[in-house]
Amino acid sequence: MSSLQKPPVGTSTVKWRFPAVHPEGQKFTAIAFGITLLATIVTKVLFWPLLGVTLWVAAFFRDPVRTTPIGDDLVVSPADGLITMIERVPVPRELVGELGAEPMVRVSVFMSVFDVHINRTPIAGIVRQVVYISGKFLNADLDKASEENERQHFVVEGHDGRRIGFTQIAGLVARRIVGFVKVGDIVAVGQRVGLIRFGSRVDVFLPEGCVPQVALGQRAIAGETVLGRFGGASVTGVAQ
């Protein structure tokens, strides 16, 4: 049975707080704010619009605290966003060596420019593979983006030997994929492993026996939403 670990604090309540800005985004926020100040010297008319841009940049790189469900049978979402595709597909050729050649169920999470862009590992274990591939910057919502766009593959092997592959895919306005881990690193489920700047997609490849626990059109939260479950039953959704 999976469970939620309670934080080691002497309270039974949780208070909302402003999310921090990830260090990767602090320099961009500072640059935007500097441009705002310089433009204000020329004309005060630009102050409020540029301040709005600065706040948006800070919000884009926000890094909220997440409470991750713990369970050997669970695969959590590595990204915030919309579940846009759930289908059985061939394994990317770069991952065949680690995941095998049999087709797997791919769950795609599309991140708009308004979503949190910090990506997290879907299971705990050891990072077995990290592969960066340069490519195009097509709309990340297109199916062919998984084969033609700039992307970065990860494979994490769990403590029980199960392996999960997932891929960061750059989008139409994304221009850099940033990774935080390397091969051999030991990661906890929900740990931050990278980010993609300004709109993109993350694909998760579920092995045989792992059933999707999300429906098309559902919103996923990185490090919190259960994306798949080993031995679970399939779910359906209703748009309303």
Side-chain angles (χ1 to χ4, degrees), residues 43-56:
T43 173
K44 293 183 179 180
V45 175
L46 295 176
F47 176 76
W48 291 111
L50 290 178
L51 181 62
V53 172
T54 300
L55 293 175
W56 176 80

mmCIF file with all atom_site columns, all heavy atoms in Angstrom, residues 43-56:
data_model
loop_
_atom_site.group_PDB
_atom_site.id
_atom_site.type_symbol
_atom_site.label_atom_id
_atom_site.label_alt_id
_atom_site.label_comp_id
_atom_site.label_asym_id
_atom_site.label_entity_id
_atom_site.label_seq_id
_atom_site.pdbx_PDB_ins_code
_atom_site.Cartn_x
_atom_site.Cartn_y
_atom_site.Cartn_z
_atom_site.occupancy
_atom_site.B_iso_or_equiv
_atom_site.pdbx_formal_charge
_atom_site.auth_seq_id
_atom_site.auth_comp_id
_atom_site.auth_asym_id
_atom_site.auth_atom_id
_atom_site.pdbx_PDB_model_num
ATOM 1   N N   . THR A 1 43 ? 11.331 56.614 -20.273 1.00 0.00 ? 43 THR A N   1
ATOM 2   C CA  . THR A 1 43 ? 9.920  56.980 -20.192 1.00 0.00 ? 43 THR A CA  1
ATOM 3   C C   . THR A 1 43 ? 9.230  56.132 -19.136 1.00 0.00 ? 43 THR A C   1
ATOM 4   O O   . THR A 1 43 ? 9.398  54.917 -19.100 1.00 0.00 ? 43 THR A O   1
ATOM 5   C CB  . THR A 1 43 ? 9.210  56.793 -21.544 1.00 0.00 ? 43 THR A CB  1
ATOM 6   O OG1 . THR A 1 43 ? 7.809  56.998 -21.370 1.00 0.00 ? 43 THR A OG1 1
ATOM 7   C CG2 . THR A 1 43 ? 9.451  55.422 -22.124 1.00 0.00 ? 43 THR A CG2 1
ATOM 8   N N   . LYS A 1 44 ? 8.461  56.766 -18.293 1.00 0.00 ? 44 LYS A N   1
ATOM 9   C CA  . LYS A 1 44 ? 7.769  56.051 -17.222 1.00 0.00 ? 44 LYS A CA  1
ATOM 10  C C   . LYS A 1 44 ? 6.592  55.228 -17.744 1.00 0.00 ? 44 LYS A C   1
ATOM 11  O O   . LYS A 1 44 ? 6.057  54.388 -17.022 1.00 0.00 ? 44 LYS A O   1
ATOM 12  C CB  . LYS A 1 44 ? 7.277  57.048 -16.178 1.00 0.00 ? 44 LYS A CB  1
ATOM 13  C CG  . LYS A 1 44 ? 8.406  57.743 -15.422 1.00 0.00 ? 44 LYS A CG  1
ATOM 14  C CD  . LYS A 1 44 ? 7.874  58.672 -14.358 1.00 0.00 ? 44 LYS A CD  1
ATOM 15  C CE  . LYS A 1 44 ? 9.025  59.331 -13.591 1.00 0.00 ? 44 LYS A CE  1
ATOM 16  N NZ  . LYS A 1 44 ? 8.520  60.250 -12.535 1.00 0.00 ? 44 LYS A NZ  1
ATOM 17  N N   . VAL A 1 45 ? 6.210  55.484 -19.005 1.00 0.00 ? 45 VAL A N   1
ATOM 18  C CA  . VAL A 1 45 ? 5.089  54.750 -19.585 1.00 0.00 ? 45 VAL A CA  1
ATOM 19  C C   . VAL A 1 45 ? 5.386  53.252 -19.652 1.00 0.00 ? 45 VAL A C   1
ATOM 20  O O   . VAL A 1 45 ? 4.481  52.417 -19.541 1.00 0.00 ? 45 VAL A O   1
ATOM 21  C CB  . VAL A 1 45 ? 4.770  55.295 -21.001 1.00 0.00 ? 45 VAL A CB  1
ATOM 22  C CG1 . VAL A 1 45 ? 3.679  54.456 -21.672 1.00 0.00 ? 45 VAL A CG1 1
ATOM 23  C CG2 . VAL A 1 45 ? 4.346  56.748 -20.910 1.00 0.00 ? 45 VAL A CG2 1
ATOM 24  N N   . LEU A 1 46 ? 6.669  52.896 -19.825 1.00 0.00 ? 46 LEU A N   1
ATOM 25  C CA  . LEU A 1 46 ? 7.038  51.493 -19.985 1.00 0.00 ? 46 LEU A CA  1
ATOM 26  C C   . LEU A 1 46 ? 7.179  50.754 -18.660 1.00 0.00 ? 46 LEU A C   1
ATOM 27  O O   . LEU A 1 46 ? 7.334  49.534 -18.658 1.00 0.00 ? 46 LEU A O   1
ATOM 28  C CB  . LEU A 1 46 ? 8.371  51.397 -20.750 1.00 0.00 ? 46 LEU A CB  1
ATOM 29  C CG  . LEU A 1 46 ? 8.362  51.894 -22.198 1.00 0.00 ? 46 LEU A CG  1
ATOM 30  C CD1 . LEU A 1 46 ? 9.762  51.814 -22.783 1.00 0.00 ? 46 LEU A CD1 1
ATOM 31  C CD2 . LEU A 1 46 ? 7.386  51.071 -23.034 1.00 0.00 ? 46 LEU A CD2 1
ATOM 32  N N   . PHE A 1 47 ? 7.142  51.456 -17.546 1.00 0.00 ? 47 PHE A N   1
ATOM 33  C CA  . PHE A 1 47 ? 7.433  50.820 -16.273 1.00 0.00 ? 47 PHE A CA  1
ATOM 34  C C   . PHE A 1 47 ? 6.479  49.672 -15.962 1.00 0.00 ? 47 PHE A C   1
ATOM 35  O O   . PHE A 1 47 ? 6.903  48.543 -15.680 1.00 0.00 ? 47 PHE A O   1
ATOM 36  C CB  . PHE A 1 47 ? 7.378  51.848 -15.138 1.00 0.00 ? 47 PHE A CB  1
ATOM 37  C CG  . PHE A 1 47 ? 7.570  51.218 -13.780 1.00 0.00 ? 47 PHE A CG  1
ATOM 38  C CD1 . PHE A 1 47 ? 8.828  50.820 -13.366 1.00 0.00 ? 47 PHE A CD1 1
ATOM 39  C CD2 . PHE A 1 47 ? 6.485  51.006 -12.938 1.00 0.00 ? 47 PHE A CD2 1
ATOM 40  C CE1 . PHE A 1 47 ? 9.015  50.224 -12.115 1.00 0.00 ? 47 PHE A CE1 1
ATOM 41  C CE2 . PHE A 1 47 ? 6.651  50.414 -11.687 1.00 0.00 ? 47 PHE A CE2 1
ATOM 42  C CZ  . PHE A 1 47 ? 7.926  50.024 -11.276 1.00 0.00 ? 47 PHE A CZ  1
ATOM 43  N N   . TRP A 1 48 ? 5.182  49.922 -15.992 1.00 0.00 ? 48 TRP A N   1
ATOM 44  C CA  . TRP A 1 48 ? 4.218  48.901 -15.587 1.00 0.00 ? 48 TRP A CA  1
ATOM 45  C C   . TRP A 1 48 ? 4.182  47.707 -16.539 1.00 0.00 ? 48 TRP A C   1
ATOM 46  O O   . TRP A 1 48 ? 4.169  46.548 -16.078 1.00 0.00 ? 48 TRP A O   1
ATOM 47  C CB  . TRP A 1 48 ? 2.827  49.506 -15.429 1.00 0.00 ? 48 TRP A CB  1
ATOM 48  C CG  . TRP A 1 48 ? 2.749  50.428 -14.248 1.00 0.00 ? 48 TRP A CG  1
ATOM 49  C CD1 . TRP A 1 48 ? 2.613  51.784 -14.254 1.00 0.00 ? 48 TRP A CD1 1
ATOM 50  C CD2 . TRP A 1 48 ? 2.846  50.044 -12.864 1.00 0.00 ? 48 TRP A CD2 1
ATOM 51  N NE1 . TRP A 1 48 ? 2.614  52.288 -12.975 1.00 0.00 ? 48 TRP A NE1 1
ATOM 52  C CE2 . TRP A 1 48 ? 2.752  51.245 -12.096 1.00 0.00 ? 48 TRP A CE2 1
ATOM 53  C CE3 . TRP A 1 48 ? 2.987  48.841 -12.210 1.00 0.00 ? 48 TRP A CE3 1
ATOM 54  C CZ2 . TRP A 1 48 ? 2.797  51.237 -10.709 1.00 0.00 ? 48 TRP A CZ2 1
ATOM 55  C CZ3 . TRP A 1 48 ? 3.043  48.830 -10.824 1.00 0.00 ? 48 TRP A CZ3 1
ATOM 56  C CH2 . TRP A 1 48 ? 2.950  50.023 -10.092 1.00 0.00 ? 48 TRP A CH2 1
ATOM 57  N N   . PRO A 1 49 ? 4.202  47.945 -17.884 1.00 0.00 ? 49 PRO A N   1
ATOM 58  C CA  . PRO A 1 49 ? 4.246  46.772 -18.774 1.00 0.00 ? 49 PRO A CA  1
ATOM 59  C C   . PRO A 1 49 ? 5.496  45.915 -18.567 1.00 0.00 ? 49 PRO A C   1
ATOM 60  O O   . PRO A 1 49 ? 5.413  44.683 -18.517 1.00 0.00 ? 49 PRO A O   1
ATOM 61  C CB  . PRO A 1 49 ? 4.227  47.387 -20.178 1.00 0.00 ? 49 PRO A CB  1
ATOM 62  C CG  . PRO A 1 49 ? 3.574  48.714 -19.990 1.00 0.00 ? 49 PRO A CG  1
ATOM 63  C CD  . PRO A 1 49 ? 4.022  49.195 -18.648 1.00 0.00 ? 49 PRO A CD  1
ATOM 64  N N   . LEU A 1 50 ? 6.645  46.563 -18.414 1.00 0.00 ? 50 LEU A N   1
ATOM 65  C CA  . LEU A 1 50 ? 7.883  45.804 -18.237 1.00 0.00 ? 50 LEU A CA  1
ATOM 66  C C   . LEU A 1 50 ? 7.953  45.156 -16.857 1.00 0.00 ? 50 LEU A C   1
ATOM 67  O O   . LEU A 1 50 ? 8.531  44.076 -16.700 1.00 0.00 ? 50 LEU A O   1
ATOM 68  C CB  . LEU A 1 50 ? 9.092  46.710 -18.454 1.00 0.00 ? 50 LEU A CB  1
ATOM 69  C CG  . LEU A 1 50 ? 9.309  47.159 -19.904 1.00 0.00 ? 50 LEU A CG  1
ATOM 70  C CD1 . LEU A 1 50 ? 10.506 48.082 -20.005 1.00 0.00 ? 50 LEU A CD1 1
ATOM 71  C CD2 . LEU A 1 50 ? 9.495  45.947 -20.820 1.00 0.00 ? 50 LEU A CD2 1
ATOM 72  N N   . LEU A 1 51 ? 7.344  45.801 -15.865 1.00 0.00 ? 51 LEU A N   1
ATOM 73  C CA  . LEU A 1 51 ? 7.284  45.172 -14.544 1.00 0.00 ? 51 LEU A CA  1
ATOM 74  C C   . LEU A 1 51 ? 6.438  43.905 -14.611 1.00 0.00 ? 51 LEU A C   1
ATOM 75  O O   . LEU A 1 51 ? 6.760  42.893 -13.969 1.00 0.00 ? 51 LEU A O   1
ATOM 76  C CB  . LEU A 1 51 ? 6.705  46.148 -13.520 1.00 0.00 ? 51 LEU A CB  1
ATOM 77  C CG  . LEU A 1 51 ? 6.613  45.608 -12.086 1.00 0.00 ? 51 LEU A CG  1
ATOM 78  C CD1 . LEU A 1 51 ? 7.998  45.269 -11.552 1.00 0.00 ? 51 LEU A CD1 1
ATOM 79  C CD2 . LEU A 1 51 ? 5.919  46.630 -11.172 1.00 0.00 ? 51 LEU A CD2 1
ATOM 80  N N   . GLY A 1 52 ? 5.371  43.965 -15.406 1.00 0.00 ? 52 GLY A N   1
ATOM 81  C CA  . GLY A 1 52 ? 4.545  42.772 -15.600 1.00 0.00 ? 52 GLY A CA  1
ATOM 82  C C   . GLY A 1 52 ? 5.336  41.644 -16.240 1.00 0.00 ? 52 GLY A C   1
ATOM 83  O O   . GLY A 1 52 ? 5.195  40.480 -15.854 1.00 0.00 ? 52 GLY A O   1
ATOM 84  N N   . VAL A 1 53 ? 6.195  41.986 -17.220 1.00 0.00 ? 53 VAL A N   1
ATOM 85  C CA  . VAL A 1 53 ? 7.045  40.982 -17.858 1.00 0.00 ? 53 VAL A CA  1
ATOM 86  C C   . VAL A 1 53 ? 8.013  40.381 -16.842 1.00 0.00 ? 53 VAL A C   1
ATOM 87  O O   . VAL A 1 53 ? 8.246  39.170 -16.811 1.00 0.00 ? 53 VAL A O   1
ATOM 88  C CB  . VAL A 1 53 ? 7.819  41.593 -19.047 1.00 0.00 ? 53 VAL A CB  1
ATOM 89  C CG1 . VAL A 1 53 ? 8.847  40.600 -19.584 1.00 0.00 ? 53 VAL A CG1 1
ATOM 90  C CG2 . VAL A 1 53 ? 6.862  42.007 -20.149 1.00 0.00 ? 53 VAL A CG2 1
ATOM 91  N N   . THR A 1 54 ? 8.572  41.226 -15.976 1.00 0.00 ? 54 THR A N   1
ATOM 92  C CA  . THR A 1 54 ? 9.503  40.756 -14.949 1.00 0.00 ? 54 THR A CA  1
ATOM 93  C C   . THR A 1 54 ? 8.816  39.773 -14.000 1.00 0.00 ? 54 THR A C   1
ATOM 94  O O   . THR A 1 54 ? 9.373  38.724 -13.657 1.00 0.00 ? 54 THR A O   1
ATOM 95  C CB  . THR A 1 54 ? 10.057 41.943 -14.139 1.00 0.00 ? 54 THR A CB  1
ATOM 96  O OG1 . THR A 1 54 ? 10.739 42.838 -15.019 1.00 0.00 ? 54 THR A OG1 1
ATOM 97  C CG2 . THR A 1 54 ? 11.020 41.471 -13.063 1.00 0.00 ? 54 THR A CG2 1
ATOM 98  N N   . LEU A 1 55 ? 7.601  40.104 -13.592 1.00 0.00 ? 55 LEU A N   1
ATOM 99  C CA  . LEU A 1 55 ? 6.858  39.214 -12.695 1.00 0.00 ? 55 LEU A CA  1
ATOM 100 C C   . LEU A 1 55 ? 6.536  37.896 -13.389 1.00 0.00 ? 55 LEU A C   1
ATOM 101 O O   . LEU A 1 55 ? 6.556  36.833 -12.766 1.00 0.00 ? 55 LEU A O   1
ATOM 102 C CB  . LEU A 1 55 ? 5.576  39.903 -12.217 1.00 0.00 ? 55 LEU A CB  1
ATOM 103 C CG  . LEU A 1 55 ? 5.781  41.126 -11.304 1.00 0.00 ? 55 LEU A CG  1
ATOM 104 C CD1 . LEU A 1 55 ? 4.445  41.786 -10.999 1.00 0.00 ? 55 LEU A CD1 1
ATOM 105 C CD2 . LEU A 1 55 ? 6.493  40.722 -10.016 1.00 0.00 ? 55 LEU A CD2 1
ATOM 106 N N   . TRP A 1 56 ? 6.235  37.965 -14.685 1.00 0.00 ? 56 TRP A N   1
ATOM 107 C CA  . TRP A 1 56 ? 5.954  36.730 -15.424 1.00 0.00 ? 56 TRP A CA  1
ATOM 108 C C   . TRP A 1 56 ? 7.190  35.842 -15.502 1.00 0.00 ? 56 TRP A C   1
ATOM 109 O O   . TRP A 1 56 ? 7.104  34.619 -15.341 1.00 0.00 ? 56 TRP A O   1
ATOM 110 C CB  . TRP A 1 56 ? 5.460  37.052 -16.834 1.00 0.00 ? 56 TRP A CB  1
ATOM 111 C CG  . TRP A 1 56 ? 5.254  35.810 -17.658 1.00 0.00 ? 56 TRP A CG  1
ATOM 112 C CD1 . TRP A 1 56 ? 4.186  34.967 -17.626 1.00 0.00 ? 56 TRP A CD1 1
ATOM 113 C CD2 . TRP A 1 56 ? 6.177  35.241 -18.591 1.00 0.00 ? 56 TRP A CD2 1
ATOM 114 N NE1 . TRP A 1 56 ? 4.381  33.919 -18.495 1.00 0.00 ? 56 TRP A NE1 1
ATOM 115 C CE2 . TRP A 1 56 ? 5.588  34.061 -19.100 1.00 0.00 ? 56 TRP A CE2 1
ATOM 116 C CE3 . TRP A 1 56 ? 7.432  35.638 -19.064 1.00 0.00 ? 56 TRP A CE3 1
ATOM 117 C CZ2 . TRP A 1 56 ? 6.216  33.273 -20.053 1.00 0.00 ? 56 TRP A CZ2 1
ATOM 118 C CZ3 . TRP A 1 56 ? 8.070  34.839 -20.009 1.00 0.00 ? 56 TRP A CZ3 1
ATOM 119 C CH2 . TRP A 1 56 ? 7.459  33.676 -20.490 1.00 0.00 ? 56 TRP A CH2 1
#
